[in-house]
Structure formats: C-alpha cells, structure tokens
Amino acid sequence: MNIFPAIDLLDGKAVRLKKGDYNEVTVYSDCPPEMAKKFKEAGAEWIHVVDLDGARDGSTANFSTVADIAKVGLKVEIGGGIRIMETVEKYIN
C-alpha cells in the first residue's frame, strides 16, 4: 500500500477547505515546504499537492511553492489548474 500525504495550497499556504468552501479555510502552515520536509522525515516518498487557486481560476499561482516543495526531495503528484499542455510542460520542467 502507498500512502500519499497531501498539501492543499491556497495563497501560498497549506490549508484545508471545509466541504470545498473557499470561505471556510483552515490554515495549517505558512510554509508548505516545511510540512513536506516533515512528511519526508516521517518516511514519505511521495506527496500529493493541490493548487486550490489553480483549481478555482486555472492559474499556476502557487507554482513557486510547488517548486519549493519539490526541492525537498519528494516525488510530487500535482493537481489543480492544469488545463492545457503548456501547464503540464511547465510543471514537468
């Protein structure tokens, strides 16, 4: 079994939305890469990241935060705002 810890990003912060409501936000960290580092230290090899800004508006508003999470050394699965091949290529590169 593989367990993928998850970080949802909104405005560069690690958050959870209550029932998907952008008006009901709980902030867990102002530094998502630090959370990713803790997951890695706990034995994670992968992390699931969702760009909630991107999911809402199709942007890559949290791209630099995702890049910083990737620098931690985990394999990253990303979702949210990926609607065209240019965005796929941006994340792959």
Side-chain angles (χ1 to χ4, degrees), residues 42-88:
E45 295 178 24
W46 284 86
I47 191 155
H48 174 76
V49 179
V50 178
D51 182 343
L52 294 171
D53 294 295
R56 179 180 54 204
D57 60 28
S59 71
T60 56
N62 291 295
F63 181 82
S64 63
T65 303
V66 175
D68 289 342
I69 289 170
K71 290 175 188 171
V72 169
L74 293 168
K75 298 172 190 164
V76 179
E77 177 186 47
I78 179 73
I82 302 171
R83 299 181 182 155
I84 59 174
M85 283 305 297
E86 289 174 346
T87 304
V88 172

Side-chain angles (χ1 to χ4, degrees), residues 4-42:
F4 288 45
I7 297 177
D8 293 351
L9 300 173
L10 184 67
D11 298 326
K13 299 175 183 173
V15 304
R16 285 285 184 251
L17 303 181
K18 183 176 182 180
K19 297 184 179 181
D21 185 347
Y22 283 82
N23 295 312
E24 296 279 338
V25 178
T26 301
V27 176
Y28 287 94
S29 176
D30 291 332
C31 189
E34 284 297 318
M35 287 186 72
K37 184 177 177 184
K38 289 178 183 178
F39 286 132
K40 183 178 180 183
E41 290 169 353

